[in-house]
Amino acid sequence: MKLWLLYLLLLKATCTTFAGLASLPVLRSDLVINHHWLTDQQLNTAVVVTRTTPGPAGLYIVSVGYLVGRVPGAIIAWLAMITPALLVIPLLKFAGRKAQHPRTKGLLQAIVLSSAGLLVASAFPLAREAATEPFTIGLLIVCIAVLLTRKVESVWVVLCAAVIELAASSLNLAR
Amino acid sequence: MNRPSLPQLAWIFFRRGNFTFGGGTATIAVLDQEVIESRKLVTREQAVLSFGLARLTPGTNLLAYCTALGWLTRGPLGACVALSAVSIPCSVLAIVLTVLYDSWLRKPLVATAMQGAIVAAIAVMFATGWTLIRPLRANTSAIKILFFSTGACIAALAGMPPIRVLLLAVLLGFAWPAEGRAS
């Protein structure tokens, strides 16, 4: 696994999406499906780790980088995570007014909406693998409902789900 | 406007960026309170422009927003300091926790709890789809929302690579301008 290739693949994921977790489908396509450097289980672990820590949602990429290439991989992932942020500087300097043009805004709307669709699409196979029995399927549905209808931070949902799974397992409700 | 020293700038972004739960939106809210109202480092108009341009910047909005604020307050050095202060500490923490999770997962109790946590993380992915769409509802037609979000989802499920879906979205989005006049 070449670090420069990892950087380019992670950069491709971060540069083609406009929100933290939205890069997940592109990243999964390259690292899990095409190059087999990561498994879906590891990708889920990276998301879990960073949903229980402070910081931006896109931080999961650093965890992915570590899982793929240990500390050098994590450093490369950090670089890939911060590189696109530097693009705001030329935008600030030169593009201010053009950024509000309807075509520019239309383009951004299309990318954000498509990213939402891609995120949902990439969550389906992960859900198929993780929620394999009635209890975990029910837990998934309840977690989604809570996140959509209540102003609850995801860290609490993740921690509660972990505790519920432990309790269910001890009561033989879940495997 | 006040001009902070680089260590002061680093301290602001270190505290707000690495001790706020709830993702980018929550962090931007607490940053605004400190940077605009408490310390008066930038005007609200500058912050609003920075936020809008950060949304236009690929990648994590929070990081672009912090870079923009750093640039506005202390130029290139300020941008580097802000970006580093908001991203390095939480990245180190993420690495440490990833290492710990790796070893903790060998313990049966932790492995069991992790299954529940993974289910919740997947729920976060589904919910994030709606979180991305929600701010656009006010100024985007329902047809456009349905067309792009559902179309992308179906295309991806049918096997189209994500990058191709996004490129197609760029072309179609450019051809379908947002409602309202250019300012």
Side-chain angles (χ1 to χ4, degrees):
Chain A
M1 192 267 305
K2 299 179 176 66
L3 287 177
W4 63 265
L5 181 58
L6 177 63
Y7 175 73
L8 288 178
L9 290 176
L10 292 176
L11 190 65
K12 185 176 114 182
T14 57
C15 277
T16 53
T17 52
F18 288 78
L21 268 184
S23 57
L24 192 140
V26 177
L27 194 142
R28 180 175 180 267
S29 172
D30 283 326
L31 298 191
V32 177
I33 297 170
N34 293 341
H35 288 87
H36 308 291
W37 288 346
L38 202 67
T39 63
D40 278 330
Q41 167 83 5
Q42 287 175 309
L43 187 58
N44 284 337
T45 300
V47 175
V48 167
V49 165
T50 51
R51 288 289 78 200
T52 54
T53 57
L59 191 61
Y60 83 99
I61 278 181
V62 174
S63 188
V64 162
Y66 178 81
L67 289 169
V68 172
R70 293 296 183 234
V71 172
I75 294 171
I76 289 295
W78 172 76
L79 285 171
M81 184 179 73
I82 66 167
T83 303
L86 298 170
L87 293 172
V88 79
I89 296 171
L91 280 179
L92 261 177
K93 281 189 72 118
F94 303 116
R97 289 170 69 90
K98 289 199 182 71
Q100 300 305 315
H101 192 281
R103 287 206 188 272
T104 309
K105 289 167 78 172
L107 194 152
L108 178 63
Q109 283 173 353
I111 292 175
V112 171
L113 292 169
S114 301
S115 296
L118 285 174
L119 196 56
V120 169
S122 65
F124 273 113
L126 298 174
R128 256 202 309 271
E129 206 174 289
T132 53
E133 48 183 18
F135 181 79
T136 46
I137 293 170
L139 183 61
L140 177 67
I141 294 169
V142 168
C143 287
I144 293 172
V146 167
L147 287 164
L148 289 179
T149 58
R150 297 278 182 266
K151 282 187 182 176
V152 179
E153 286 171 15
S154 56
V155 59
W156 300 117
V157 176
V158 171
L159 291 174
C160 283
V163 169
I164 290 170
E165 182 71 31
L166 266 176
S169 178
S170 62
L171 293 170
N172 286 325
L173 291 172
R175 267 184 283 142
Chain B
M1 292 295 113
N2 298 324
R3 185 178 152 91
S5 65
L6 290 175
Q8 276 178 326
L9 200 65
W11 179 239
I12 292 169
F13 286 99
F14 166 73
R15 270 188 308 112
R16 296 306 184 190
N18 298 283
F19 294 95
T20 306
F21 285 85
T25 313
T27 308
I28 287 173
V30 296
L31 258 177
D32 275 357
Q33 206 279 322
E34 177 147 8
V35 167
I36 301 170
E37 289 163 32
S38 299
R39 294 179 185 257
K40 298 188 183 1
L41 303 183
V42 297
T43 64
R44 184 158 293 282
E45 290 69 33
Q46 286 176 314
V48 167
L49 175 63
S50 300
F51 182 74
L53 292 177
R55 293 304 303 266
L56 275 179
T57 308
T60 305
N61 296 160
L62 172 64
L63 298 182
Y65 183 62
C66 294
T67 307
L69 292 182
W71 175 271
L72 287 170
T73 51
R74 288 298 305 262
L77 271 179
C80 291
V81 163
L83 184 56
S84 301
V86 82
S87 64
I88 292 177
C90 54
S91 297
V92 170
L93 181 62
I95 295 168
V96 168
L97 284 179
T98 305
V99 171
L100 289 175
Y101 269 56
D102 237 2
S103 62
W104 286 343
L105 277 179
R106 294 191 195 107
K107 298 182 170 47
L109 270 181
V110 175
T112 303
M114 194 62 175
Q115 284 172 20
I118 285 174
V119 167
I122 294 168
V124 169
M125 293 177 207
F126 279 112
T128 301
W130 175 244
T131 306
L132 291 174
I133 292 172
R134 197 170 49 208
L136 298 178
R137 282 170 67 215
N139 52 14
T140 311
S141 67
I143 293 173
K144 191 171 190 176
I145 291 174
L146 272 172
F147 176 77
F148 281 104
S149 59
T150 314
C153 186
I154 293 172
L157 288 172
M160 187 181 281
I163 196 74
R164 210 173 288 176
V165 174
L166 289 169
L167 285 172
L168 201 53
V170 165
L171 294 172
L172 291 172
F174 189 76
W176 191 341
E179 283 98 39
R181 294 182 299 126
S183 52

